[in-house]
């Protein structure tokens, strides 16, 4: 199973997190499948690769709690619903 979770980067006391798609059995700093964004809690900045995130969510990837909150703040789930409704209307 694939999860979307945070991977810590940066130096001491200046943490920056990458949002990655990673296998559940991997550790936090383990090898990721794909980098899909980053989150800087100090500067309150986020960058999201929306098409890649939507791809993994449609394939069944589960975001962790913190990543879910980041996506909710970026209104990513609204885009996911729009994409899903387009798929169903095209059939």
């Amino acid at each position: 199973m694939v999860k979307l979770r945070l991977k810590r980067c940066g130096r001491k006391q200046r943490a920056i997190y990458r949002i990655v798609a990673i296998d559940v059995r991997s550790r936090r700093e383990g090898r990721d499948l794909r980098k899909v964004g980053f989150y800087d809690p100090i500067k309150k900045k986020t960058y999201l690769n929306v098409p890649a995130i939507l791809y993994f969510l449609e394939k069944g990837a589960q975001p962790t709690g913190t990543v879910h909150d980041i996506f909710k703040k970026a209104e990513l789930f609204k885009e996911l619903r729009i994409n899903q409704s387009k798929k169903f209307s095209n059939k």
Side-chain angles (χ1 to χ4, degrees), residues 29-73:
E29 304 303 328
R31 184 173 174 187
D32 49 71
L33 301 172
R34 186 162 179 195
K35 296 172 183 78
V36 294
F38 78 87
Y39 169 62
D40 186 351
I42 296 168
K43 295 180 182 176
K44 305 283 190 219
K45 290 187 178 181
T46 59
Y47 167 77
L48 302 174
N49 183 350
V50 177
I53 293 169
L54 293 176
Y55 169 79
F56 280 108
L57 289 174
E58 288 170 356
K59 295 291 182 186
Q62 295 294 314
T64 60
T66 307
V67 173
H68 185 274
D69 292 342
I70 292 169
F71 290 169
K72 193 185 263 186
K73 192 177 277 189

